[in-house]
Amino acid sequence: MTRELNPSRPRLAARLPRWALVAALAILGTGVTSAHAADSSFSLDFSNAYVWRGIVFNDSGVAQFTLDTGSLNAGSVPIGFNVWGNFDIGDFDGALEKNNLSEIDLTVYAGLPYGFEVGLIAYEFPQADGGSTQEFYVTWGGDYVVSPSVAFYYDFGAVDSYYASLDLTYSIAVGAKTGVDLSGLIAIAGEGFATFNGGEKGGFYNYNLSAGVSHQVNDTFGLSGSVGYSGSLDEDVLPEQPLGFYVM
């Protein structure tokens, strides 16, 4: 699966102490205690691979979950919280321990006018000694016949560099409860991000093509599936990966 907000996967200690991020989340959280109810959601995905920003972290089966509060109206700024995790079913040809929770991402985000969103992401790697990092991000999305989405991420923890992407999505309604999404993405990365992940320089990084189908069974339950292909735009920036095709 490719996840954005989602989100480099370094196995290095972060520069920002963990207590500082926890404190920031707590401060933001105090403003949400009297918030109106939000549309919270939970999803569980199974995929043949964990592909993130063109990088293959596991090509032998994963399960991934997402818990999102939705936007809470804290004063005049809608704030939300998201928890995402990756569970390795396969061992990536012996490189990983199978049946292990290898990553947890904690995100706090705020919706802004005109389609903008900003947030902070804390990446935690339970199987790595001291493995964590943090990112700041800003995104913008529009609702058109072909909907664009622009995202900029800056890792200020272990990498000290950026990753930015442009995504175009064409959505087709098939009846009242079923939809089809066709998406294409291209991205660039700073030199620090690229070299941290095995590249030689910064520049055009990866592309991703995907097609997905979703069906809303009722007000609280839905089903979805997608296929995609991810590859490198420049192998001096993103080295060739062991897998490009994924299903979830």
Side-chain angles (χ1 to χ4, degrees), residues 143-228:
D143 187 10
Y144 303 98
V145 175
V146 177
S147 298
S149 178
V150 180
F152 177 86
Y153 302 85
Y154 194 89
D155 187 313
F156 58 91
V159 180
D160 196 20
S161 189
Y162 72 89
Y163 173 92
S165 64
L166 168 65
D167 184 285
L168 298 176
T169 299
Y170 179 60
S171 298
I172 307 168
V174 184
K177 296 184 177 182
T178 304
V180 176
D181 289 332
L182 305 175
S183 298
L185 173 147
I186 59 171
I188 61 173
E191 182 176 358
F193 183 93
T195 56
F196 186 86
N197 290 291
E200 299 176 4
K201 63 179 183 178
F204 285 102
Y205 200 68
N206 72 295
Y207 68 90
N208 190 79
L209 303 172
S210 66
V213 178
S214 61
H215 178 73
Q216 194 66 33
V217 178
N218 53 43
D219 291 341
T220 59
F221 182 72
L223 297 171
S224 65
S226 65
V227 295

Side-chain angles (χ1 to χ4, degrees), residues 1-247:
M1 172 192 176
T2 298
R3 178 195 182 255
E4 276 309 336
L5 286 192
N6 213 306
S8 113
R9 298 299 196 242
R11 268 63 177 175
L12 297 180
R15 295 177 187 171
L16 182 69
R18 189 176 304 175
W19 64 263
L21 183 66
V22 172
L25 293 174
I27 292 171
L28 287 170
T30 58
V32 183
T33 53
S34 60
H36 300 294
D39 293 325
S40 59
S41 63
F42 174 81
S43 67
L44 179 63
D45 303 318
F46 296 91
S47 179
N48 68 310
Y50 176 12
V51 184
W52 179 82
R53 297 181 186 173
I55 307 168
V56 176
F57 286 95
N58 193 344
D59 68 354
S60 53
V62 295
Q64 299 171 332
F65 67 86
T66 304
L67 176 63
D68 196 290
T69 65
S71 294
L72 304 167
N73 295 321
S76 59
V77 179
I79 292 176
F81 301 91
N82 180 285
V83 179
W84 182 92
N86 179 78
F87 185 87
D88 292 317
I89 299 172
D91 62 3
F92 200 4
D93 296 327
L96 303 170
E97 290 187 33
K98 63 172 60 177
N99 301 323
N100 262 308
L101 182 66
S102 61
E103 179 179 349
I104 300 173
D105 302 344
L106 307 173
T107 302
V108 57
Y109 58 89
L112 300 176
Y114 306 110
F116 286 92
E117 180 179 297
V118 297
L120 287 171
I121 309 172
Y123 300 96
E124 299 290 336
F125 307 98
Q127 306 304 319
D129 185 16
S132 63
T133 193
Q134 299 81 34
E135 277 186 339
F136 163 80
Y137 74 86
V138 57
T139 65
W140 173 84
D143 187 10
Y144 303 98
V145 175
V146 177
S147 298
S149 178
V150 180
F152 177 86
Y153 302 85
Y154 194 89
D155 187 313
F156 58 91
V159 180
D160 196 20
S161 189
Y162 72 89
Y163 173 92
S165 64
L166 168 65
D167 184 285
L168 298 176
T169 299
Y170 179 60
S171 298
I172 307 168
V174 184
K177 296 184 177 182
T178 304
V180 176
D181 289 332
L182 305 175
S183 298
L185 173 147
I186 59 171
I188 61 173
E191 182 176 358
F193 183 93
T195 56
F196 186 86
N197 290 291
E200 299 176 4
K201 63 179 183 178
F204 285 102
Y205 200 68
N206 72 295
Y207 68 90
N208 190 79
L209 303 172
S210 66
V213 178
S214 61
H215 178 73
Q216 194 66 33
V217 178
N218 53 43
D219 291 341
T220 59
F221 182 72
L223 297 171
S224 65
S226 65
V227 295
Y229 188 88
S230 180
S232 173
L233 290 170
D234 184 341
E235 291 187 2
D236 289 334
V237 184
L238 173 63
E240 183 180 0
Q241 299 294 301
L243 178 78
F245 179 75
Y246 61 90
V247 180

